[in-house]
Amino acid sequence: MSRTPLVAGNWKLNKTVAEATELVEGIRAGTKDLEGVDLVVAPVATALHPVAAALKGAPIGLAAQNCYPEDTGAFTGELSPLLLADVGCTHCIVGHSERRQLFGETDAGVAAKAQALQAHALVPIVCLGETLEQREAGDTLKVCLGQLDASLDGVTVDGDRLILAYEPVWAIGTGKTASPADAQEVHHALRERLREKHGAAAADAVRILYGGSVKPANAAELLSQPDIDGALVGGASLKAETFVPIAEAAVH
Ligand code: PGA
């Protein structure tokens, strides 16, 4: 079963509108002849609308970094899938470890957001991963599979409607990467759990991205693992010169 690789740039809390527009123009120009890989960028919320305009006609998806699972109402400060779709989003990251750690996001909250996104035909990129403490205690698979089950409660598991991202917390923004073999072990376990709970077709079609200090120098080796279907890139997505080579490395 072949899955088209996908490389997504998580810009986190970075880039003014002018900087975001410049970056996406650089990515667009640098990948215009690239085939065999799907691309997504996730700008800060204030840049979503202008980046959507800069992406017009380009085969590059647009993701928000978070959402709230209601359409409209008295939810000061929040953004809904309805409004994200309205500005041109195609995807939304949910359950990123920074949100889980700094903003108290729970698996149940992640599942509610993913369901709300799917109801508006947006594709959730559901993130999960263990902390260093959990890895050192030998709990990596237990933690990741537990997060997978709970974060997908009520979510449609289908290759066109869901993307997963395994991001070991200790590898995010630290320069430390999981070895390709360690990452593959987790990706494989996640896929087998999908197979068990959601059937072979879903398990074979859902893309599972790796995230955590992915850069041009380590991308090819990570992305050549059989169950690693792409990358969720933070720091290295902030410059076209580092994001584009990662996108190129995903093509096989
Ligand atoms: P990093 O971030 O590439 O800077 O480690 C990845 C992420 O948080 O998605």
Side-chain angles (χ1 to χ4, degrees):
M1 167 85 212
S2 76
R3 294 173 289 272
T4 303
L6 186 148
V7 175
N10 174 11
W11 299 357
K12 306 192 181 182
L13 181 48
N14 292 291
K15 306 283 179 194
T16 62
V17 167
E19 290 165 348
T21 307
E22 190 188 336
L23 173 56
V24 85
E25 279 164 0
I27 291 170
R28 188 175 176 167
T31 57
K32 69 179 191 323
D33 298 323
L34 195 60
E35 284 178 10
V37 57
D38 291 341
L39 300 174
V40 173
V41 291
V44 70
T46 48
L48 284 170
H49 195 233
V51 168
L55 282 176
K56 226 175 177 68
I60 299 178
L62 180 66
Q65 299 174 10
N66 183 35
C67 68
Y68 189 75
E70 295 287 343
D71 284 354
T72 56
F75 305 106
T76 303
E78 296 298 327
L79 287 171
S80 67
L82 173 79
L83 301 187
L84 296 176
D86 182 50
V87 293
C89 288
T90 50
H91 296 72
C92 181
I93 299 170
V94 282
H96 190 278
S97 67
E98 285 151 17
R99 297 220 56 89
R100 291 178 186 264
Q101 293 197 315
L102 302 173
F103 304 102
E105 191 124 309
T106 62
D107 289 331
V110 172
K113 290 177 182 189
Q115 287 174 33
L117 287 159
Q118 289 184 332
H120 288 280
L122 292 172
V123 177
I125 303 174
V126 174
C127 304
L128 54 88
E130 82 287 0
T131 63
L132 185 58
E133 214 177 26
Q134 290 165 333
R135 173 160 284 263
E136 285 175 346
D139 289 338
T140 298
L141 294 184
K142 191 177 91 192
V143 168
C144 292
L145 294 174
Q147 286 181 352
L148 181 75
D149 290 345
S151 300
L152 295 188
D153 193 21
V155 174
T156 301
V157 178
D158 171 314
D160 293 329
R161 301 192 62 195
L162 174 71
I163 294 166
L164 296 174
Y166 166 58
E167 300 203 303
V169 177
W170 48 270
I172 295 178
T174 58
K176 291 186 193 145
T177 327
S179 72
D182 285 345
Q184 165 60 22
E185 184 192 7
V186 178
H187 282 238
H188 183 69
L190 293 170
R191 196 176 308 285
E192 289 313 298
R193 179 63 68 104
L194 292 180
R195 192 179 310 283
E196 216 175 276
K197 294 194 69 168
H198 305 280
D204 287 336
V206 169
R207 288 174 287 189
I208 309 177
L209 315 181
Y210 171 80
S213 299
V214 176
K215 41 185 187 269
N218 60 22
E221 208 189 348
L222 284 160
L223 296 173
S224 68
Q225 300 297 312
D227 288 297
I228 300 184
D229 308 314
L232 181 54
V233 186
S237 73
L238 296 174
K239 286 189 183 150
E241 307 89 81
T242 43
F243 186 70
V244 172
I246 295 171
E248 289 167 347
V251 179
H252 45 247

